[in-house]
Amino acid sequence: MVNKYAILIAGPVLLLSACGGGSSGNSGSAASTSNLSDAQKSYESFALASNGGLHYVDGSLSFSTSSTGAVSVNPSSSFFFTADSSIPQSPSSGPQPLTAGTTSLASTLKVPTISNGRFVVNGAIYVAAVPAQARVSYAGSNVQEDYLAADGSTVVRTLLGTSYTAVSLSGLISASPSELFTNSALGLLTNTINGQTLYNQQTSWQTGSAYIKVVRHAVGDELFTNDCVAPATTGNNPTPCSATISTLENFFPYASATDGKSYQLADGQIVTLAGVRAWVSNATIGSTGSDYRVYYQYNGGIYTGYFLKDGTTLQLVPLGGGTPQENYYFLNNAAMQSIKSALNF
């Protein structure tokens, strides 16, 4: 369940702990919490380094079975990790730097290579920093995160958190609220392979365990870009759809293998977006219904990407499919440690 938005959200964003529970105890600064909104108080109860930080679960698991029926996780093609993030003190005292990293929940698995995406900003392509670099500040009653490019200064995207709902966890992990497993990668653990469970279902949550549901919105139009065809690249020069056609009017029709359709010029509108001349599809693409296909003129060729409109609420498709939902689920440190201790692989 790797999500393009998550990795930019959690410190990556990839990101990423000390001990901590779900309470809003120590604010981590001398500033009073009396002027904070409920959303900001809930955010700090997780995000402050002194409270253990935020931990976003991500993963993909593949298995093999021996002739005797024994099941093992394939370490070369599996991962189960958290993207972790924290801030040193309350943003009420001024913008705070995000500390980011990753933690493998299973000692037998490695964290995969992370990419926090590429963005077109003011007519240039930037690679987001890995681990994520961000500045966290308060905007009214909300929490604003400005994510930076690898240059450490260019803002490539801004997210505004408007809702932070903390939920305490106690008792057996197997008896947790269904939303936590349905709407996060923790749901991978509910699979049973040849009758064998992936975690000890008699394990209980550690004292102080909690998760927080977060709703975020894009601030400003966002143009993500990526390779259109092989070869795959990671820098600020993605592979174009065409290196010889320089204008959008001459590019169409174009058959997109990614989208499984052939685009005509009339299927979108030509606009100026993120400082480039771009064709933006009239209809959305993808499972969340919030992204728009983009082809844009750049460096003498035509490149591709997708567009997220200003104000769009970030969404995730539940692990088993279905209607997209707006909450992202983060564990506190005690909950993360509980999951680590419960795994059977």
Side-chain angles (χ1 to χ4, degrees), residues 222-285:
E222 297 180 346
L223 177 52
F224 300 75
T225 189
N226 48 265
D227 296 309
C228 187
V229 294
T233 64
T234 57
N236 62 354
N237 291 298
T239 304
C241 303
S242 174
T244 57
I245 300 174
S246 60
T247 62
L248 293 166
E249 288 83 355
N250 294 326
F251 177 68
F252 296 95
Y254 181 76
S256 169
T258 301
D259 298 346
K261 66 177 298 182
S262 181
Y263 287 109
Q264 306 295 322
L265 182 62
D267 291 331
Q269 304 294 321
I270 295 178
V271 299
T272 299
L273 178 64
V276 294
R277 189 167 186 261
W279 175 95
V280 180
S281 63
N282 295 326
T284 58
I285 60 172

Side-chain angles (χ1 to χ4, degrees), residues 275-298:
V276 294
R277 189 167 186 261
W279 175 95
V280 180
S281 63
N282 295 326
T284 58
I285 60 172
S287 55
T288 62
S290 59
D291 301 341
Y292 294 82
R293 172 59 62 204
V294 171
Y295 295 102
Y296 63 95
Q297 298 176 190
Y298 180 77

Side-chain angles (χ1 to χ4, degrees), residues 182-203:
T182 300
N183 298 322
S184 81
L186 284 177
L188 292 171
L189 299 182
T190 62
N191 292 301
T192 300
I193 312 299
N194 284 2
Q196 301 178 47
T197 60
L198 300 180
Y199 74 104
N200 182 350
Q201 296 186 341
Q202 298 307 308
T203 302

Side-chain angles (χ1 to χ4, degrees), residues 45-132:
S45 73
F46 278 67
L48 290 174
S50 58
N51 288 335
L54 295 155
H55 307 273
Y56 182 87
V57 181
D58 211 337
S60 177
L61 301 175
S62 63
F63 306 88
S64 60
T65 305
S66 70
S67 58
T68 61
V71 175
S72 60
V73 176
N74 297 324
S76 62
S77 57
S78 298
F79 54 88
F80 196 60
F81 70 101
T82 55
D84 313 315
S85 61
S86 65
I87 53 175
Q89 60 182 352
S90 173
S92 61
S93 61
Q96 298 297 308
L98 188 78
T99 297
T102 54
T103 300
S104 180
L105 293 172
S107 60
T108 56
L109 303 179
K110 295 181 179 179
V111 174
T113 300
I114 297 302
S115 170
N116 288 336
R118 292 176 279 188
F119 299 80
V120 181
V121 179
N122 293 329
I125 296 175
Y126 292 89
V127 180
V130 178

